[in-house]
Amino acid sequence: AIEEAAIVGVPRVIFRALAMADRAAAMERGAAGNSEYTADHNKMMSVRKSRRLSMRDDPSRRLSKKFKEEGGTQADLDKQMEEARARRQQSRRIPHRSGSMIIAKAEDMRQRQLAMYEQGKNPEERDYHTSAHMTEPNELVTSQGSKLGTDGLACKDGPAGIKVEEVPTLTEVSGKNKITPPPKENIWLRLMRQIFSGIFNVLLWGTVAVEVFLIYTGNSNDIVTPIILASVVVAAGLLQWWTELKAESLMEALSGMQANASVPTVRRQNGKRVDMMVESEDLLPGDIIFLKMGDRVPADVRILACTDGMEVDNAALTGESIPEPRDPSTNEKGTAPTHSRNLAFYGTTVVKGNATCMVFFIGDNTFLGKIASSIKSARSKSTLEIQIEHFVHLIAVVAVVVGLFSLIANILDPNPHPIGYIIANAAGALFAQVPEGLIPTVTISLMIASQKMSARNVLVRKLDAVETLGCVSVVCSDKTGTLTAGDMTLRDMVHFAAGGSMVTETDFSGTDPTNKSGLPSKMLRGAVRNNATVINGPGKYVGSPTEIALMKAGVGAWGLNKVKDVMDNPTLFEIPFDSANKFMFIAEPYPSGGQLFSLKGAPERVIKFCKFAYVGNGDTVQEMTPEMLDAVNASAKKLMSSARRVLGIAERRANLPDSFDWDKTTMDYAKENFLTDMVFVGLFGIQDPPKKGVKEAVEDCQAAGIKVIMITGDHPDTGVAIAKEISIIPAKGDLPPFTVITDKELADKVPSGETFVDDGSEEAKKLEAFWTQVVVHARVFARVTPIHKQLIVQALQKWGGKGADGKVYGDIVAMTGDGVNDAPALKQANVGVAMGVRGTEVAKDASDIILLDDEFASIVHGIEQGRLSSENLQKSIAYTLCSKVPQCIPNFFELAGVPLALNVSQVLAIDIGTDIWTAIAYAWQPKESALMSRKPRHPLVEKIVNGGVLIYAYGYMGIMQMICCWAAYFTAPGIFGNVGRTEFSPEEVHTNKVASTLYYYTLVIGQIAAALATTTYHESLCKYCLPNMKLNICIFLEVAFAALIIYTPDCNDIFLTTGLTTKQMIYPWMAFVAISLCEEVRKAIGRKSAHARELTAARDGNPLRQRLLED
């Protein structure tokens, strides 16, 4: 029983109940199966009772032998017997639950759970499954222990719903109707992790420990180094900790999608009906609730009964831009829950009509809960984290190896050294290789870049997403609200011209509601004449989005007051729109007398009532011919192929007497007498249009080597039409295979596990064969579920991104979206990009970046800024590493007898005092070239810290700096005489300080040359100049800080430096000139090679954007 309960996800309380039930049943079966034992047992108990009575009645036998031996008295025995008798009587007053009762309750709960899931589906699957929409209402309600009212599915009369007595048990079993938030790490433990974990921090803390040990043992008096180093590590940890706290999970805001208001509910108590208002979080499976227009759906519910034309806005969940009609009819087997019209999901909104519903899933089991659970898992490491981690491991190995070499060299030195000296020398060599300013530099640089991106309406929630955004090779975008405006808009009015042909109007500004003959004016007046939309104020509308689209067109063309005048015209009779008729009808007084009948709805329904048609300016009525009818159908089909929602409109004049009793008019009478001989006016084309600037943004992405893929829950035709309009797919020509993928094609292409695996199974081979084609050619995915979206991103990351060497590296995917249905894919993507205005809090929580203006075009600016940030970060790291060779070599030269040229405190003065600020200033460096005209950089192929950067820093710039530093070092008078000696006079100590100061100052100047050199890859500084004022200021401050260390007595004591002469201060600048000249020569050669490659590419002729469209 426990195993079966675990399969269906029944809570632990049922486990215990089932176990108790099994034990009770076993006992009953055992007793019933051994009647002879039972009879003997009863006889024995009777004999024992008789004996007890006889002992009580016979004073001579009242005391047992044992009781007498213990010294008990008759009074003691009487007292014990009275207490036993009282206990027996008390136990009889306590009712006992029989095993059969426990079995019935446990089995009932188990069956209720099983009834809600689609047969053969595991409730623990991450995809959403239910059988509620495919089960007849009576059967469904009964399976949940609920009951329909005496009036049937409406449940407005008689006892209905679940029993009040069962509520406590059901609450214990099902829990609260709330989505469980993800667990959070303690903020202080997180701080400790940031400060003390990671190989880089361990290396730095190890260095601090060695320095402290040397001070403690008296082998060093340098207390500055460990203090500064520890401060840097703590500060870097605090900075990263504070950044993460600012981007703290917004999962609590998920409650904003959960209904918090009380819900009208009906339950049963003692066979009577109890109407009550139940808090949404207290709803239980089986509850019968009542919803009306404007209500937020408080759980996943099956609609039992609803008014005609009921609509629910599912945009936040499914991505549908148009509210979906609801119908209580039972669906066929195999219908997907998201395509069912008899379900309403947790967090959606009723925009039209009323309904009686039964709750079948609550909390984490709801569609919204399934989505929320899929974004609770920890996000994988970003590309920057992986690259920095790889670099840190590499540096750690280099540092340890250098330190060990120094240690071994000290031990093997023919001139023995004290143990303190050996450790200090080895620690200095190791420490010189550690870029202790790297993490603060990267963090602060990314913070600055994120601030620059926020100025372009791109809010960065996760700092390293800045770098990843620059590497993006595929942008997967949701359609509704991201590529499109998210609002239905009247885009076309089609009517007959004078010659009988049909013309399309797209500009409605020239219409006038007072113009009774102008056909466009007549059409727009009929459009706004509806009672389904209420204007609450400027830009505020309530009702069906289709009606709102027509109303907004009228307000845009005429202004609010004129539209209200049209709406205020009294209604004599109305047939509201419903799903059966698919039209609405209004009768209203005509200003010159008589009545005006207006008909509006699906074109195939409207046209069948039309015998005539307006042509030309609307002052001519012509009988509808078969050719005209064909023209109407062709125009409607053309609009539909362009992803328009099409409505037809017709009218006619009537002259009913003033005494006509409109109140007694029935719908059947109206259909027979009012809807005949209508005059066709025209067709409306309504669409959720592409946002302004999206087409240009898509083309910019393609020019930058980035594929744009649309992933939508809408119909394939709608997706294709929008994709063609915004250049995602070619506007002309037949679409090649795999260009458009639908949910039907994906139905059997989903892995059985969490993600794709390479286990050699038949399933794995089938999936690989399909998805390897899809990731190359697909541009539109339609009718997909949230889990499909997540798998699409996984497939792109696994099988996309084929390199020039033919190896598959996986695409770097950015997923944009605004709905809850986008959240799993946003979390899965390398960069999740949410919409800030219309985006749900769940989508924002799952994202790394938020577009504050909801403009897809902003992502192009973000990608460009991301590429610039990556480029500047690479330059910054290259600059930081340039000084490592000249910082390390003096420790080895010291073993050869050369007085130490650069001590640890001087290394810190360079790394922390000057280099770190200059490195941060690279964040403001303007772009060197057209960043969006090159292919995206794949982080696995071209890392930020790659072989070229290391060769440049260590094997080129570092070597030049080292040569210049030693050249300056040996210009110190008398320094050659100190080589090979271990003891020095005060004058010789001063000579060593002069030489060391020259080495230090030359390295500072060499780093200034490196700073200017690394601002460009190929462009000459003579052309590029010095556009980064913050970098220029940092360079000036480097010189000033070095002068402070050289000429200030207190700094002389700390850093072991001394003042230099004017001539000595000029020597290091010769290094600046030499390094700069070498760099200009290198860049000139690089420019010549790059120009040759560009000529070859131009001759081959393969435009990047065209290749992406044709793939």
Side-chain angles (χ1 to χ4, degrees):
I2 291 176
E3 291 174 355
E4 291 176 356
I7 290 174
V8 297
V10 181
R12 188 178 298 275
V13 64
I14 299 183
F15 294 177
R16 295 195 296 268
L18 288 169
M20 291 171 63
D22 285 341
R23 289 196 295 271
M27 291 173 64
E28 290 181 356
R29 289 193 299 270
N34 194 346
S35 59
E36 183 180 353
Y37 169 82
T38 304
D40 291 343
H41 176 76
N42 291 340
K43 182 177 180 181
M44 181 184 64
M45 295 301 293
S46 177
V47 170
R48 288 181 178 178
K49 182 176 181 181
S50 299
R51 288 178 178 175
R52 286 197 301 270
L53 291 173
S54 64
M55 288 178 65
R56 184 185 64 188
D57 295 337
D58 187 356
S60 64
R61 300 176 63 188
R62 194 171 290 177
L63 292 175
S64 68
K65 180 179 179 181
K66 182 179 179 181
F67 195 78
K68 289 178 180 179
E69 290 175 353
E70 292 175 356
T73 63
Q74 183 66 42
D76 294 331
L77 181 59
D78 290 340
K79 182 178 179 181
Q80 287 191 13
M81 292 183 69
E82 282 295 328
E83 290 175 353
R85 195 158 42 244
R87 285 195 297 270
R88 285 196 300 272
Q89 292 174 353
Q90 177 66 24
S91 66
R92 291 192 190 102
R93 288 194 292 267
I94 300 174
H96 293 279
R97 297 178 64 187
S98 67
S100 60
M101 289 177 62
I102 296 174
I103 292 172
K105 276 290 182 187
E107 187 65 18
D108 180 57
M109 294 177 184
R110 179 172 178 269
Q111 291 300 327
R112 292 187 190 185
Q113 293 285 334
L114 285 170
M116 289 299 94
Y117 292 98
E118 189 176 352
Q119 187 174 5
K121 298 295 185 180
N122 187 346
E124 298 301 321
E125 287 184 16
R126 57 177 178 164
D127 211 350
Y128 183 82
H129 299 290
T130 182
S131 61
H133 59 300
M134 300 180 290
T135 307
E136 291 297 331
N138 292 333
E139 180 184 346
L140 182 67
V141 170
T142 303
S143 72
Q144 290 300 291
S146 192
K147 182 181 179 181
L148 296 175
T150 56
D151 57 345
L153 298 177
C155 297
K156 297 295 179 67
D157 293 318
I162 61 175
K163 293 179 180 179
V164 174
E165 303 86 64
E166 291 185 343
V167 168
T169 305
L170 284 172
T171 302
E172 185 178 0
V173 170
S174 303
K176 290 287 188 181
N177 182 27
K178 297 173 66 176
I179 293 175
T180 306
K184 286 187 177 181
E185 182 183 11
N186 182 280
I187 60 173
W188 304 114
L189 289 177
R190 184 189 302 176
L191 175 60
M192 294 299 101
R193 177 172 56 81
Q194 296 288 4
I195 294 176
F196 294 104
S197 69
I199 187 171
F200 194 70
N201 284 349
V202 169
L203 195 63
L204 293 177
W205 282 118
T207 306
V208 171
V210 170
E211 293 289 340
V212 172
F213 173 77
L214 292 175
I215 295 171
Y216 178 77
T217 56
N219 291 296
S220 174
N221 59 358
D222 181 15
I223 63 173
V224 175
T225 298
I227 291 175
I228 294 178
L229 192 56
S231 300
V232 169
V233 179
V234 172
L238 282 170
L239 183 62
Q240 196 165 356
W241 175 71
W242 177 75
T243 303
E244 286 190 8
L245 287 183
K246 282 187 67 178
E248 188 61 70
S249 172
L250 299 175
M251 195 65 180
E252 296 87 349
L254 184 65
S255 59
M257 285 203 65
Q258 303 176 43
N260 298 316
S262 299
V263 183
T265 309
V266 59
R267 289 174 177 172
R268 292 174 287 152
Q269 187 170 27
N270 299 325
K272 296 182 179 179
R273 179 187 182 90
V274 180
D275 287 294
M276 58 180 68
M277 299 296 292
V278 178
E279 293 295 327
S280 62
E281 68 176 34
D282 294 329
L283 289 175
L284 295 166
D287 263 328
I288 304 295
I289 64 173
F290 305 97
L291 300 176
K292 63 182 185 303
M293 185 177 72
D295 285 347
R296 181 160 285 179
V297 180
D300 283 3
V301 299
R302 164 66 189 272
I303 297 172
L304 304 176
C306 66
T307 56
D308 286 337
M310 178 190 175
E311 292 182 346
V312 176
D313 183 4
N314 282 347
L317 283 181
T318 64
E320 294 284 354
S321 58
I322 303 173
E324 300 174 10
R326 299 292 94 175
D327 185 344
S329 302
T330 303
N331 294 136
E332 296 178 356
K333 296 294 182 182
T335 303
T338 53
H339 296 168
S340 172
R341 292 193 171 187
N342 62 22
L343 300 182
F345 299 108
Y346 195 9
T348 60
T349 305
V350 179
V351 295
K352 184 179 180 181
N354 305 319
T356 300
C357 311
M358 191 203 76
V359 175
F360 64 89
F361 280 154
I362 62 173
D364 292 332
N365 292 326
T366 61
F367 189 37
L368 182 64
K370 286 283 188 180
I371 294 174
S373 65
S374 68
I375 64 174
K376 290 178 185 177
S377 58
R379 186 186 290 274
S380 58
K381 289 182 179 180
S382 68
T383 56
L384 180 62
E385 288 174 318
I386 294 172
Q387 291 178 86
I388 293 297
E389 188 175 282
H390 173 267
F391 169 64
V392 165
H393 282 92
L394 179 64
I395 291 297
V397 171
V398 171
V400 171
V401 169
V402 169
L404 287 175
F405 277 157
S406 176
L407 182 66
I408 294 170
N410 272 282
I411 294 173
L412 298 179
D413 192 348
N415 299 318
H417 299 288
I419 186 65
Y421 172 86
I422 293 175
I423 294 175
N425 186 272
L430 183 149
F431 179 71
Q433 290 304 307
V434 178
E436 57 282 331
L438 174 66
I439 300 302
T441 298
V442 171
T443 304
I444 296 173
S445 297
L446 291 177
M447 289 179 66
I448 294 168
S450 69
Q451 291 176 354
K452 295 174 70 175
M453 292 175 75
S454 66
R456 307 187 80 167
N457 293 313
V458 179
L459 177 65
V460 178
R461 293 184 65 245
K462 199 163 182 269
L463 285 181
D464 46 14
V466 174
E467 187 273 341
T468 309
L469 190 60
C471 301
V472 164
S473 58
V474 175
V475 176
C476 294
S477 177
D478 181 55
K479 179 183 73 68
T480 306
T482 307
L483 297 174
T484 63
D487 287 323
M488 298 302 291
T489 303
L490 178 61
R491 303 195 70 186
D492 311 280
M493 290 196 309
V494 183
H495 59 84
F496 282 107
S501 61
M502 301 205 78
V503 296
T504 301
E505 305 278 353
T506 57
D507 183 6
F508 319 128
S509 59
T511 59
D512 186 346
T514 61
N515 183 356
K516 302 298 188 297
S517 60
L519 200 48
S521 300
K522 190 186 295 290
M523 288 186 68
L524 197 53
R525 186 187 184 284
V528 302
R529 185 67 179 96
N530 65 78
N531 296 324
T533 304
V534 178
I535 300 177
N536 292 330
K540 297 179 181 179
Y541 307 92
V542 177
S544 165
T546 303
E547 300 287 357
I548 290 175
L550 300 175
M551 185 66 64
K552 288 167 61 177
V555 172
W558 305 336
L560 184 59
N561 293 331
K562 289 185 178 181
V563 170
K564 282 188 173 183
D565 290 341
V566 174
M567 291 182 63
D568 290 342
N569 198 36
T571 299
L572 300 175
F573 179 79
E574 178 181 10
I575 300 177
F577 182 90
D578 62 44
S579 56
N581 292 326
K582 294 188 178 179
F583 65 78
M584 66 169 293
F585 172 84
I586 291 178
E588 59 181 322
Y590 196 71
S592 60
Q595 299 84 30
L596 178 66
F597 294 164
S598 298
L599 179 67
K600 184 169 56 200
E604 68 275 11
R605 295 299 181 93
V606 171
I607 200 69
K608 74 176 185 177
F609 296 113
C610 296
K611 186 176 181 181
F612 306 96
Y614 286 113
V615 296
N617 292 328
D619 52 0
T620 303
V621 176
Q622 182 176 323
E623 186 172 356
M624 181 77 73
T625 64
E627 292 77 16
M628 295 176 71
L629 186 60
D630 291 341
V632 172
N633 291 330
S635 296
K637 187 174 293 186
K638 182 179 179 182
L639 289 172
M640 291 176 185
S641 66
S642 299
R644 305 295 201 264
R645 188 175 191 179
V646 183
L647 292 179
I649 184 171
E651 68 175 39
R652 80 175 175 91
R653 292 282 305 277
N655 290 294
L656 296 176
D658 295 338
S659 59
F660 186 83
D661 192 347
W662 294 98
D663 294 334
K664 292 183 179 180
T665 303
T666 64
M667 190 174 297
D668 291 337
Y669 178 87
K671 288 181 179 179
E672 292 179 8
N673 297 279
F674 297 165
L675 296 181
T676 58
D677 300 336
M678 298 294 289
V679 182
F680 178 77
V681 180
L683 299 173
F684 295 117
I686 302 170
Q687 185 193 38
D688 179 13
K691 285 184 178 179
K692 185 179 180 181
V694 166
K695 184 176 186 293
E696 293 77 9
V698 169
E699 292 173 350
D700 287 343
C701 284
Q702 292 166 344
I706 302 168
K707 290 190 293 188
V708 180
I709 297 175
M710 178 194 294
I711 304 179
T712 178
D714 268 344
H715 192 277
D717 292 343
T718 304
V720 169
I722 295 293
K724 287 183 176 180
E725 195 169 346
I726 60 176
S727 298
I728 289 180
I729 57 179
K732 297 180 180 179
D734 296 332
L735 297 178
F738 296 102
T739 301
V740 181
I741 306 294
T742 66
D743 57 332
K744 293 181 180 179
E745 295 170 90
L746 295 177
D748 60 343
K749 305 301 189 304
V750 177
S752 54
E754 288 292 314
T755 186
F756 300 100
V757 293
D758 298 320
D759 56 4
S761 63
E762 288 299 319
E763 179 192 60
K765 292 177 182 178
K766 182 182 77 170
L767 293 177
E768 182 175 359
F770 174 76
W771 285 104
T772 50
Q773 294 294 322
V774 168
V775 297
V776 174
H777 302 294
R779 292 297 180 271
V780 176
F781 290 89
R783 290 292 192 196
V784 294
T785 68
I787 301 305
H788 286 156
K789 292 185 179 185
Q790 190 175 22
L791 288 171
I792 290 165
V793 175
Q794 289 176 346
L796 287 164
Q797 292 171 332
K798 182 175 179 61
W799 287 299
K802 183 178 290 187
D805 56 357
K807 184 178 179 180
V808 174
Y809 294 96
D811 279 311
I812 304 301
V813 183
M815 173 70 193
T816 72
D818 58 357
V820 175
N821 63 323
D822 299 320
L826 287 170
K827 190 72 176 287
Q828 179 67 42
N830 301 92
V831 183
V833 184
M835 301 294 124
V837 177
R838 55 181 291 124
T840 61
E841 295 300 337
V842 182
K844 293 176 185 177
D845 174 68
S847 68
D848 304 293
I849 288 173
I850 299 173
L851 302 183
L852 298 177
D853 56 1
D854 279 15
E855 295 296 333
F856 180 83
S858 294
I859 197 171
V860 179
H861 303 314
I863 290 174
E864 183 177 19
Q865 184 62 50
R867 291 187 176 188
L868 177 60
S869 299
S870 298
E871 186 176 273
N872 287 342
L873 190 58
Q874 186 179 60
K875 294 175 179 179
S876 174
I877 293 174
Y879 160 76
T880 302
L881 297 178
C882 286
S883 62
K884 294 308 166 188
V885 171
Q887 286 178 354
C888 165
I889 292 301
N891 291 278
F892 291 95
F893 271 53
E894 188 182 17
L895 298 177
V898 178
L900 185 62
L902 195 72
N903 58 54
V904 174
S905 59
Q906 291 171 347
V907 170
L908 274 178
I910 293 172
D911 288 352
I912 306 300
T914 55
D915 279 6
I916 188 171
W917 310 112
T918 305
I920 290 171
Y922 278 84
W924 284 280
Q925 196 70 25
K927 62 183 180 181
E928 177 184 354
S929 59
L931 296 173
M932 297 299 286
S933 63
R934 64 176 75 156
K935 282 186 176 182
R937 175 182 64 86
H938 199 292
L940 296 180
V941 178
E942 186 184 349
K943 294 180 173 65
I944 284 184
V945 184
N946 52 38
V949 171
L950 295 178
I951 292 173
Y952 177 87
Y954 286 96
Y956 170 63
M957 185 63 70
I959 297 298
M960 285 196 298
Q961 288 184 348
M962 182 192 69
I963 293 172
C964 293
C965 287
W966 283 117
Y969 177 89
F970 285 110
T971 61
I975 190 62
F976 283 102
N978 293 346
V979 174
R981 300 175 56 183
T982 57
E983 296 182 357
F984 304 98
S985 65
E987 292 78 10
E988 292 168 338
V989 169
H990 179 73
T991 297
N992 292 342
K993 283 188 177 181
V994 171
S996 176
T997 304
L998 281 168
Y999 192 101
Y1000 160 76
Y1001 187 56
T1002 304
L1003 183 52
V1004 170
I1005 303 303
Q1007 278 296 89
I1008 292 175
L1012 296 178
T1014 52
T1015 55
T1016 64
Y1017 289 127
H1018 301 296
E1019 193 169 349
S1020 170
L1021 281 180
C1022 298
K1023 180 180 178 182
Y1024 186 73
C1025 297
L1026 305 175
N1028 187 353
M1029 187 53 62
K1030 292 180 176 60
L1031 178 63
N1032 300 338
I1033 293 173
C1034 286
I1035 290 174
F1036 173 79
L1037 292 177
E1038 277 197 45
V1039 177
F1041 185 72
L1044 186 71
I1045 289 176
I1046 292 172
Y1047 292 107
T1048 305
D1050 291 339
C1051 291
N1052 292 156
D1053 296 337
I1054 295 172
F1055 297 100
L1056 303 179
T1057 56
T1058 188
L1060 299 177
T1061 65
T1062 303
K1063 186 177 181 180
Q1064 289 171 334
M1065 290 291 286
I1066 294 175
Y1067 282 154
W1069 287 98
M1070 297 175 66
F1072 175 85
V1073 174
I1075 292 173
S1076 298
L1077 287 175
C1078 290
E1079 268 295 278
E1080 286 298 310
V1081 172
R1082 182 192 67 82
K1083 290 176 182 178
I1085 296 172
R1087 286 195 300 274
K1088 186 175 181 180
S1089 300
H1091 181 64
R1093 288 194 299 270
E1094 288 176 2
L1095 290 176
T1096 302
R1099 186 171 58 250
D1100 294 343
N1102 189 13
L1104 192 55
R1105 176 177 176 271
Q1106 188 61 33
R1107 188 170 74 251
L1108 287 167
L1109 283 170
E1110 293 172 352
D1111 278 346

